[in-house]
Amino acid sequence: MSRILPQVNFIVFLVYLSAVIYLFAYKTPTPERNLCVSIVLCFALWSFCEAHAHLSPTPERALMWFSISSFGWIIFPLPVLFFYLAVTRGIKPNFKALLVLSFLCFFLITAQWRGDLINEVARGPFGWVAFWANSPAFHLFVIYYSTILFFCAFLALKFWLNAEERRQRAQGKILFFTVVAGFFVGTFSDVVAPMFEIFQVPPVACLAGLIWLAGMVPAVTKYGLLSLELGYFKDLYERLFEFTPDPLALLDERGIFLSANQAMINSLGQKKDELIGKSLRQVLDAKTYELRMTVIEEALRSGQVKTFEDTRKGRHFRHNIVPVSFQDSKNTVLVISRDITEEVKAMRQLEFYAYHDYLTGLPNRAMLEIKFSEMTANCDGNSLIAVFFLDLDEFKFYNDSLGHDVGDEILKEFGKRLCQKVRNGLVGRFGGDEFIVILPHIKNTEHVEHAASEIVSTLKTPTKIRGFDVSLSPSIGISLYPKDGTSFDELIRHADIAMYKAKKSARSYCFFQEDRAFLR
């Protein structure tokens, strides 16, 4: 009978080694797998030393092997870490607390070698039985050992009850029952039985580790705990959430802030501890609040991402409302905001210069044609629309002699004068030193002549630009809608012809006529 127990211990030792080989061969090496391997190796050391202790011929040699097996106690902090990671999905633990556990573990190992724990062995029916010393170190060991195992059982139970998936629940159930079973087998075999001298119970505490093994290995392999990997991604998610430059916030279906990153806090001008728990109603105006809640409800109802834009405090924002699902709440949205103020400004600028002259800011040909179409649509049969084609005489001389910068300033100045004089019409730049003036609702040609005379008088007034005296006179060609044409291009072409006639005759303006330009 005394040979049975060592054989059992050696078989258990081989099982542990097989488990280590299996874990090493399982897929890719992960921190969690390595942690499990460390625990199994401690169990293997324990069972190997127990086997040699029961084979020892003398009590002194048996006591030596029991003392060496105490190095297997280094296992105790490791299951705590294992279950902690399982419950928290790999959140980085407080390693200072683990250092305390490790310190206590090494203190107890030292106490064992000093004889303050196991100080006596006796021959029993199944081999040597180790007796614990009635010492403070032993009482500390019982408290330490019991606390750790109770804590592991609590963490396993918590993981089981909080599991979201069926696979995780099965895994948690296995972990919990193996921890409890291993706790009772190990405690009764190596602590309770020797204390009450129940020698009929074989001291096979190493089987407790085998029970744990039956729960932990499937947790790593079959059920795919992956706690450390999940923890890595959770930590990565938290870092991305917090340090993303775009404002992010997690809201429930009522618009209550559950979380927000620093960019969102800065955007709303709030403090984080004040913002969490507040409603959108408390931080946004009524109109913006109603718009955002409508989009949130649509996103939750459809389960699809919704996008909208709004303006707040002169800034433009684009918001993506993403429905997300958590264990305790199915009606949650992630608001991803982006400040698009500069994009909006750039787009508006592009749109502006698509229809305006880059230098003077006046309407360009495309805008003039659009406005002309609107004017003709509103024109009645008793009124005319006058199109003026202006060219600045002697502009080329100033532009070439004083430089293009001065030439640009001249064009901007004369464009400004035209706008000031033409109040009830439209002024645009056609290109170079050529401008277009469109006057709607003209009753007769006398009104056109009066307007042309005022424009000429305004533009002829000398001005000083960058220290240079500049005096220009315009040549103006005039065409009338619908008399001289009905399309914008036709009227521009006819006004251009009239302008050249005016320039050649040294007159200020000229009306277009089909057979000739009539000079005024």
Side-chain angles (χ1 to χ4, degrees):
M1 294 290 288
S2 61
R3 290 284 178 175
I4 294 177
L5 191 57
Q7 291 173 359
V8 170
N9 279 287
F10 273 123
I11 291 173
V12 174
F13 169 71
L14 292 176
V15 173
Y16 288 143
L17 290 184
S18 300
V20 169
I21 295 172
Y22 174 67
L23 287 170
F24 268 120
Y26 179 75
K27 293 185 178 180
T28 56
T30 62
E32 184 196 19
R33 187 210 65 177
N34 296 337
L35 177 60
C36 190
V37 167
S38 301
I39 296 172
V40 176
L41 285 175
C42 288
F43 282 136
L45 172 63
W46 194 359
S47 61
F48 181 81
C49 294
E50 290 270 332
H52 278 280
H54 293 302
L55 287 173
S56 299
T58 63
E60 291 78 11
R61 195 169 185 84
L63 184 60
M64 181 194 72
W65 279 109
F66 280 127
S67 298
I68 295 175
S69 72
S70 66
F71 283 103
W73 297 345
I74 197 173
I75 173 187
F76 288 146
L78 300 181
V80 175
L81 177 59
F82 183 89
F83 289 109
Y84 174 85
L85 293 172
V87 171
T88 61
R89 303 295 192 276
I91 296 177
K92 186 177 180 181
N94 185 342
F95 284 105
K96 292 182 179 179
L98 289 177
L99 286 175
V100 172
L101 291 177
S102 300
F103 173 77
L104 286 173
C105 181
F106 283 109
F107 171 78
L108 292 171
I109 292 173
T110 304
Q112 166 61 31
W113 281 91
R114 292 172 53 190
D116 293 335
L117 288 179
I118 297 175
N119 61 355
E120 182 183 353
V121 294
R123 177 70 70 177
F126 298 96
W128 294 105
V129 179
F131 288 93
W132 298 89
N134 186 14
S135 64
F138 169 70
H139 297 122
L140 178 62
F141 170 77
V142 172
I143 295 172
Y144 171 72
Y145 166 80
S146 302
T147 301
I148 284 182
L149 293 182
F150 272 117
F151 189 54
C152 287
F154 167 76
L155 290 175
L157 179 63
K158 184 176 177 64
F159 178 77
W160 174 17
L161 297 178
N162 291 344
E164 301 174 8
E165 303 177 359
R166 182 177 59 83
R167 186 179 66 173
Q168 288 182 338
R169 286 195 295 271
Q171 171 193 315
K173 186 186 299 184
I174 292 172
L175 288 174
F176 174 72
F177 284 113
T178 52
V179 168
V180 173
F183 170 71
F184 279 108
V185 170
T187 303
F188 190 77
S189 172
D190 263 25
V191 179
V192 177
M195 286 179 62
F196 293 95
E197 299 184 2
I198 307 175
F199 294 114
Q200 290 78 14
V201 176
V204 286
C206 58
L207 290 179
L210 196 61
I211 296 172
W212 279 42
L213 185 70
M216 295 176 68
V217 173
V220 178
T221 56
K222 178 181 177 181
Y223 293 98
L225 181 64
L226 298 177
S227 59
L228 293 181
E229 285 75 10
L230 289 172
Y232 167 78
F233 286 110
K234 181 175 181 179
D235 183 62
L236 178 63
Y237 160 77
E238 290 177 348
R239 288 176 178 271
L240 288 174
F241 183 86
E242 184 60 33
F243 297 108
T244 296
D246 293 332
L248 303 175
L250 195 66
L251 306 174
D252 66 10
E253 72 276 9
R254 300 169 298 167
I256 303 296
F257 282 91
L258 304 177
S259 183
N261 69 350
Q262 192 60 46
M264 178 63 79
I265 293 165
N266 295 339
S267 171
L268 296 175
Q270 301 274 329
K271 293 182 179 180
K272 187 166 186 175
D273 54 350
E274 296 175 352
L275 182 63
I276 304 305
K278 275 188 176 181
S279 168
L280 284 172
R281 188 190 297 272
Q282 296 174 273
V283 297
L284 300 176
D285 60 81
K287 182 179 180 181
T288 305
Y289 167 76
E290 294 296 337
L291 171 63
R292 192 164 298 190
M293 287 305 300
T294 300
V295 180
I296 288 175
E297 291 169 3
E298 290 178 0
L300 289 172
R301 184 168 54 252
S302 65
Q304 298 178 345
V305 178
K306 298 295 180 180
T307 302
F308 73 98
E309 297 180 5
D310 64 9
T311 303
R312 187 171 65 253
K313 297 180 181 179
R315 308 293 295 179
H316 300 274
F317 293 91
R318 179 182 294 121
H319 310 280
N320 291 308
I321 310 298
V322 184
V324 293
S325 176
F326 292 100
Q327 177 188 0
D328 56 347
S329 175
K330 301 298 182 183
N331 298 323
T332 312
V333 294
L334 178 65
V335 179
I336 306 173
S337 302
R338 171 163 290 184
D339 189 332
I340 58 171
T341 304
E342 298 306 319
E343 295 178 27
V344 170
K345 288 181 180 178
M347 186 60 67
R348 288 179 177 176
Q349 193 172 41
L350 287 174
E351 292 175 354
F352 179 83
Y353 286 120
Y355 295 102
H356 293 79
D357 174 55
Y358 184 79
L359 177 64
T360 62
L362 296 174
N364 60 13
R365 178 168 183 156
M367 175 62 80
L368 290 169
E369 188 168 1
I370 292 172
K371 293 297 183 181
F372 176 79
S373 298
E374 294 175 359
M375 291 177 184
T376 56
N378 297 323
C379 183
D380 57 39
N382 299 322
S383 61
L384 305 171
I385 298 176
V387 176
F388 290 16
F389 195 104
L390 288 82
D391 179 85
L392 297 178
D393 300 332
E394 299 181 358
F395 172 76
K396 188 175 185 304
F397 166 76
Y398 287 107
N399 192 53
D400 293 343
S401 60
L402 301 180
H404 295 294
D405 291 344
V406 176
D408 290 345
E409 292 295 328
I410 292 172
L411 293 174
K412 288 191 283 187
E413 173 62 28
F414 280 79
K416 188 186 300 182
R417 288 190 185 185
L418 275 173
C419 291
Q420 291 172 348
K421 179 55 63 177
V422 181
R423 296 291 186 180
N424 299 319
L426 182 67
V427 177
R429 185 184 177 202
F430 197 74
D433 60 340
E434 298 171 339
F435 293 84
I436 300 293
V437 175
I438 303 177
L439 299 177
H441 309 300
I442 299 297
K443 297 301 182 182
N444 51 56
T445 56
E446 285 77 11
H447 289 164
V448 179
E449 291 183 40
H450 178 72
S453 297
E454 287 194 340
I455 289 174
V456 170
S457 176
T458 298
L459 297 185
K460 274 187 174 182
T461 304
T463 185
K464 189 178 289 293
I465 296 177
R466 293 197 179 183
F468 298 102
D469 292 323
V470 177
S471 178
L472 296 177
S473 60
S475 295
I476 305 175
I478 305 170
S479 61
L480 300 174
Y481 169 88
K483 173 179 171 292
D484 299 325
T486 57
S487 71
F488 180 73
D489 288 339
E490 187 179 16
L491 289 167
I492 289 294
R493 185 171 66 254
H494 289 167
D496 187 23
I497 293 171
M499 184 272 294
Y500 276 106
K501 291 291 184 180
K503 190 180 288 287
K504 287 181 179 179
S505 63
R507 295 295 186 95
S508 297
Y509 61 90
C510 174
F511 282 89
F512 172 80
Q513 286 195 349
E514 193 66 39
D515 54 345
R516 62 189 178 88
F518 182 75
L519 303 180
R520 297 282 182 170

